Amino acid sequence: MTAVASAAVSSRVADLVSRMTLEEKLAQITGFWEDEKGDVVAPLQGEVSVTGGLEEATAHGIGHFTRIYGTTPLDADARAATLWERQRALVEGTRLGIPAIVHEEILTGLSAWKAATYPGPLTWGAAFDPELVARMGALIGRDCRALGVHQGLAPVVDVVRDPRWGRVEECIAEDPYLVGELGTSYVEGVQSEGVHATLKHFVGYSASRSGRNFGPVSMGPRELRDIMMVPFEMAVIDGGVKSVMHAYTEIDGMPTAADPTLLEGVLRDEWGFDGVVVADYFGVAFLHLLHGIAEDLSEAAALALTAGIDVELPTGDAYLAPLAAAVRSGRVPEALVDRAVGRILAQKEQLGLLDERFNGPSPTGVELDGPEHREVARLLAERGIVLLSNDGTLPLGEDGCPSIAVIGPNADRYQAMFGCYSFANHVLDKRPGTELGLEVPTVLEALRSEMGGATYARGCEVQGDDRSGFDEAVAAAREASVAVMVMGDQAGLFGRGTSGEGCDTDSLELPGVQRELIEAVLETGTPVVLVLVTGRPYAVGWALERCAAVVQAFFPGEEGARAIAGVLSGRVNPSGRLPVSIPRSTGAQPFTYIHPRLGADSDVTNLSSVVPMTFGEGLSYTTFAYEGLEVADAATDGAISLAVTVRNTGQRQGDEVVQVYARQRRASVTRPLAQLVGFARVPLEAGASVRVEFDIPAARLAFTGRDLVRSVEPGDVELWVGTPRIRHAEGVVSLVGERVAATRESRRRTLSRVR
């Protein structure tokens, strides 16, 4: 037999591989996608896919069934029946009888008609709540498993670098540690239900030039290691993730899909990843069609397989006939095919698929949007709304119920609650008139339910330059005691929206004529409460100064409108903190709070880098105080202890997000002025206090040195609780000992305790 190059492969899998023909092997490392023509939900889908009929595609078996539920609005019971039939056909009608892995998009819930749609990942970041994210992941995993879905294509753990990029809405935050904590929690939740999560997109995808999707990446090895790789490393080492998807990125001219130093060297040799690397849709073919480093699909397949891409998705454009030709000609060793086949069969063995016969009936009546789904969606939406500014106008229900004019293009659209990978905006946007199948109130409906009657005027659309509704909106504002203006984005794909995959922007002003409408209403003198429902942060420093209050919601999901209404009325005390900084301007991009001294203001330039609000900031309807900070020196291979008392000094209950930041004063290479090293969400009644303790691994401060080895260096470290630029309490510790390379064991997660 040909050698199977994976120590994790069992004797059963090795025996299977030894008995397979080349055609059977290639079938196992490809997918089949029965997509409907015209429903473009992947880049260049219509130009690339060569999907044939089901019988032909599965004659020798198949590795994956692609998006059985997530491509068209069909009843889950009917789709499950179809899926079970197809799996039985594989078991009974192919020589080896191996079922397929079924994968789906699960970024904001299982992508299926009438399934619960949770808040987008930026809301997870704003909530700073790993336990709740894990609970959401477990619910999504449970739904997947019930319907025969084995692998979910999430979470996205790309670190936000440029808000102009359309896929910012799919990301969690601009801080790699927060992304890593929440992404790992999501992985643990999904995989606790026996479903495999898939990290996206390895690596550097979010750092594309000019914020353009598929743009090349110019990034040095330190930034790649110390920022972009951190969340992936955490999810692999701490979360035990079972699948990783490569990025479309090319870094310094090298496409990641053809880079074995990343897909084999870093992932497997350094981090110990023993799962399966899958291609982003058509990513193997793109080595020929877009990157231009392969002469044809045969060479593209050879490059990708050698680099470590085990499975081509969504179909077998390159890994079927083109790869077969390369193997038979001797250009590609069959041992490389065996390596990939061994990995996917090991995955199927872990999932129980090698013993699954699909003899029983298909599932029916699976509850996809029940009370528990709704509770988690509500809690995450409420905890992820960020109060950016408030002159005392909010909460509206504090001194009786004012007369409210609700204005704006997102005030009465349920689609505004969802991101581009929601079923509503991913699939149903191309099927106008199709029932959503979920109970999703709009902000207008939720406010009327929360606070009684309110007048309404749309004013303008999300996009376009139609100002014909301005007069009606201005008149409504004049007659009200407060104007609630609900503005922002429409998520979509490839230019069909203002946010989402392929919906990049070269302006960080609100889309269309929205700013003009806000300014027209401000001229009435009626206090304006601006509610932003967006997939990215916009340059709204002017609004923070001129509006009575500004509330930020990042595509808050099916319970999002009720959460917004609760914050406005005061029923919900806002506790979200910004997962991304509010931009200064479009021209000031890319920006991140994690920058060295040269990234700060100085006298050598006339341009300021100071943003209106930075990562980690956000207001509450109560106040908090910090006291009694204690820190202790630590060894470079040990952990830093920090403790602080947090007191609610206001008049009502609220959650405080305790954030710990660090700055190493001297190092062999430049270090950021602030980096998050720990956090804890703490609920406190009015007047109550708690002691919060953190054990922060010194390896949290590891960085790539001059020798390109990621290590912890001795020296003094400033520690504080607060935000990147506000220090509520602070101290200094010394890391003592020798420079120590960061190991898998030392890169453990920060622990926090509340006493």
Side-chain angles (χ1 to χ4, degrees):
M1 65 174 276
T2 350
V4 178
S6 174
V9 166
S10 68
S11 58
R12 180 184 187 182
V13 167
D15 177 65
L16 270 175
V17 176
S18 73
R19 293 188 285 116
M20 297 173 84
T21 66
L22 179 60
E23 285 73 19
E24 288 170 331
K25 292 174 183 177
L26 297 180
Q28 286 299 317
I29 59 174
T30 57
F32 173 75
W33 191 11
E34 192 175 44
D35 61 311
E36 295 191 5
K37 300 304 179 185
D39 288 347
V40 179
V41 295
L44 303 182
Q45 176 180 327
E47 301 175 35
V48 179
S49 180
V50 295
T51 303
L54 174 66
E55 186 174 345
E56 177 188 358
T58 58
H60 300 289
I62 199 71
H64 277 243
F65 281 140
T66 294
R67 302 193 63 180
I68 291 284
Y69 295 93
T71 306
T72 191
L74 293 175
D75 179 74
D77 288 359
R79 293 304 281 168
T82 298
L83 174 58
W84 257 244
E85 288 175 8
R86 292 180 180 181
Q87 294 282 35
R88 275 195 294 268
L90 288 172
V91 170
E92 299 169 4
T94 61
R95 188 174 73 90
L96 296 174
I98 302 172
I101 289 172
V102 179
H103 75 258
E104 271 299 347
E105 299 287 355
I106 59 169
L107 185 66
T108 57
L110 172 61
S111 182
W113 194 33
K114 302 182 180 181
T117 306
Y118 298 96
L122 283 176
T123 298
W124 315 353
F128 279 79
D129 196 332
E131 291 78 14
L132 188 56
V133 169
R135 186 179 170 194
M136 174 185 65
L139 286 173
I140 295 170
R142 187 182 73 186
D143 294 344
C144 287
R145 195 67 178 175
L147 290 178
V149 175
H150 311 100
Q151 182 170 338
L153 304 187
V156 173
V157 291
D158 297 308
V159 180
V160 174
R161 303 304 272 177
D162 192 330
R164 295 173 296 179
W165 189 47
R167 302 193 78 168
V168 165
E169 65 164 69
E170 300 176 47
C171 302
I172 295 170
E174 72 181 65
D175 180 88
Y177 174 60
L178 180 62
V179 175
E181 280 286 0
L182 297 179
T184 299
S185 295
Y186 180 89
V187 166
E188 291 171 335
V190 169
Q191 295 191 166
S192 71
E193 295 293 330
V195 172
H196 289 183
T198 304
L199 299 183
K200 298 162 63 173
H201 308 84
F202 189 70
V203 61
Y205 188 30
S206 55
S208 57
R209 289 183 197 163
S210 304
R212 294 179 63 251
N213 201 35
F214 278 53
V217 172
S218 300
M219 180 174 285
R222 290 183 182 83
E223 189 173 7
L224 190 68
R225 286 272 184 171
D226 297 345
I227 300 294
M228 293 298 174
M229 287 189 186
V230 167
F232 290 93
E233 180 184 50
M234 292 175 68
V236 169
I237 294 175
D238 295 325
V241 73
K242 298 299 183 182
S243 180
V244 173
M245 176 181 281
H246 81 87
Y248 292 130
T249 316
E250 59 181 67
I251 303 173
D252 195 26
M254 173 59 78
T256 58
D259 192 346
T261 65
L262 291 174
L263 301 180
E264 290 290 323
V266 173
L267 264 181
R268 297 187 187 277
D269 298 342
E270 288 188 35
W271 298 347
F273 175 69
D274 62 358
V276 174
V277 175
V278 299
D280 203 346
Y281 283 14
F282 311 119
V284 177
F286 288 163
L287 292 175
H288 165 56
L289 295 171
L290 294 181
H291 297 291
I293 67 167
E295 182 178 359
D296 52 26
L297 292 181
S298 180
E299 186 178 2
L303 289 170
L305 189 68
T306 302
I309 294 179
D310 302 310
V311 180
E312 183 183 18
L313 298 179
T315 56
D317 304 279
Y319 273 16
L320 289 175
L323 181 54
V327 172
R328 289 198 167 99
S329 71
R331 287 182 291 138
V332 173
E334 192 166 349
L336 286 176
V337 176
D338 292 353
R339 180 180 74 178
V341 175
R343 288 170 179 170
I344 190 171
L345 290 181
Q347 183 185 21
K348 290 187 176 185
E349 185 177 43
Q350 291 172 6
L351 290 164
L353 278 170
L354 298 186
D355 298 309
E356 178 60 67
R357 302 293 89 186
F358 292 91
N359 291 324
S362 60
T364 58
V366 176
E367 187 175 58
L368 297 176
D369 190 33
E372 191 175 4
H373 300 86
R374 286 279 167 174
E375 180 189 20
V376 171
R378 174 184 61 81
L379 289 172
L380 195 49
E382 289 177 353
R383 294 175 187 178
I385 292 174
V386 187
L387 179 61
L388 302 184
S389 66
N390 184 23
D391 67 0
T393 299
L394 293 182
L396 297 176
E398 198 164 73
D399 298 315
C401 190
S403 61
I404 301 172
V406 181
I407 298 168
N410 279 347
D412 200 26
R413 289 192 320 113
Y414 73 78
Q415 295 92 338
M417 299 296 106
F418 303 134
C420 77
Y421 268 81
S422 66
F423 198 85
N425 290 329
H426 205 70
V427 176
L428 295 185
D429 74 314
K430 295 184 68 67
R431 293 174 173 80
T434 302
E435 175 194 3
L436 175 63
L438 299 172
E439 191 232 332
V440 182
T442 67
V443 174
L444 175 64
E445 292 166 343
L447 262 177
R448 283 175 171 168
S449 175
E450 185 95 18
M451 301 192 66
T455 59
Y456 166 67
R458 182 182 295 275
C460 69
E461 301 299 325
V462 171
Q463 302 182 76
D465 58 3
D466 184 0
R467 299 169 178 81
S468 61
F470 277 29
D471 289 346
E472 181 187 10
V474 167
R478 283 200 178 104
E479 295 300 316
S481 57
V482 64
V484 174
M485 303 194 70
V486 190
M487 320 298 280
D489 280 319
Q490 166 60 43
L493 292 170
F494 310 114
R496 302 201 298 266
T498 60
S499 173
E501 185 174 2
C503 296
D504 311 313
T505 184
D506 57 9
S507 171
L508 291 176
E509 290 289 345
L510 289 169
V513 294
Q514 293 185 61
R515 177 170 178 173
E516 290 183 41
L517 177 60
I518 297 167
E519 290 177 332
V521 172
L522 283 168
E523 288 298 316
T524 66
T526 300
V528 170
V529 174
L530 177 58
V531 178
L532 297 168
V533 185
T534 69
R536 61 163 59 87
Y538 282 98
V540 292
W542 58 272
L544 298 177
E545 296 175 359
R546 297 178 60 190
C547 293
V550 180
V551 174
Q552 174 69 64
F554 293 108
F555 292 147
E558 63 185 22
E559 288 288 329
R562 292 191 181 98
I564 290 169
V567 167
L568 297 181
S569 72
R571 173 176 55 82
V572 174
N573 190 352
S575 58
R577 301 294 181 260
L578 279 172
V580 284
S581 301
I582 299 296
R584 178 179 180 83
S585 67
T586 308
Q589 303 312 308
F591 171 86
T592 173
Y593 91 89
I594 307 174
H595 58 73
R597 187 181 298 275
L598 286 185
D601 278 13
S602 73
D603 294 334
V604 300
T605 175
N606 62 315
L607 293 177
S608 174
S609 65
V610 177
V611 294
M613 292 186 71
T614 193
F615 171 90
E617 295 182 355
L619 302 177
S620 170
Y621 294 148
T622 189
T623 54
F624 300 94
Y626 290 82
E627 55 197 31
L629 179 75
E630 294 179 347
V631 293
D633 294 347
T636 51
D637 60 354
I640 301 168
S641 297
L642 182 148
V644 68
T645 297
V646 188
R647 187 180 306 278
N648 183 340
T649 56
Q651 301 301 309
R652 60 173 294 172
Q653 187 277 339
D655 285 11
E656 172 68 321
V657 177
V658 182
Q659 302 165 55
V660 182
Y661 290 87
R663 176 196 174 202
Q664 190 150 5
R665 287 176 169 173
R666 294 287 184 274
S668 60
V669 298
T670 62
R671 303 301 300 135
L673 297 180
Q675 67 177 100
L676 183 72
V677 294
F679 63 89
R681 171 175 277 271
V682 180
L684 284 169
E685 296 295 330
S689 64
V690 293
R691 190 75 172 165
V692 186
E693 300 173 348
F694 294 89
D695 291 328
I696 305 164
R700 194 84 282 130
L701 294 166
F703 58 89
T704 302
R706 297 181 185 181
D707 55 2
L708 297 184
V709 175
R710 198 149 172 256
S711 306
V712 183
E713 290 188 3
D716 290 342
V717 176
E718 299 171 13
L719 288 167
W720 69 93
V721 290
T723 69
R725 58 187 180 186
I726 299 173
R727 302 188 179 195
H728 297 304
E730 59 185 311
V732 177
V733 299
S734 292
L735 292 177
V736 296
E738 300 297 319
R739 181 174 182 249
V740 176
T743 64
R744 290 184 202 170
E745 293 72 24
S746 68
R747 298 173 196 173
R748 63 188 185 275
R749 298 157 84 175
T750 296
L751 300 178
S752 63
R753 296 177 297 277
V754 178
R755 299 189 185 279

